[in-house]
Amino acid sequence: MNDMLIDIELVVIYLVILVTTVITIWSAVRSLKKRDRSQNIVNNIPVTKIAYGVTALLVVCLLLTFLLGSSKPIQLGEKLYTDSFWLKISDMFIYTSGILIVVAVGCFIYGMSGLSRKSHVESERREHVPSEKA
């Protein structure tokens, strides 16, 4: 009975992962199809640059953390796990999650500090100062 419940739980987990993956891909494709060039900058925020930057960071993080991940066998309980591919994949997701959390916190702190707004205000002041002609 217990083994059957574990099998059912695994099937549900696989279904949830499959559904979320399909919805994520569908959402990304739909978003790219609906986007027009007038949406590059919204409220003076370069949304296209930000989207491409986040995507590039994610892909680079996933690739680097997979390549740098450990494939050393590990013992969990009484079972020894030796499949190097899945060991690297698990390391990849753990390290990528940590890196992206640190980057998100850093971006939040930078945004809350007001540094980006201060530099933007100063550049606008310089543009509106009349030049003296001698």
Side-chain angles (χ1 to χ4, degrees), residues 9-10 27 41 66-67 70 74-75 99 102 104-106 111-112 128:
E9 185 178 4
L10 287 173
S27 175
I41 296 178
F66 178 78
L67 294 174
S70 173
I74 59 172
Q75 177 104 22
I99 290 169
V102 168
V105 168
M112 293 303 291
H128 295 297

Side-chain angles (χ1 to χ4, degrees), residues 36-47:
D36 61 352
R37 294 294 170 208
S38 67
Q39 294 178 336
N40 285 342
I41 296 178
V42 177
N43 293 330
N44 289 328
I45 299 171
V47 292

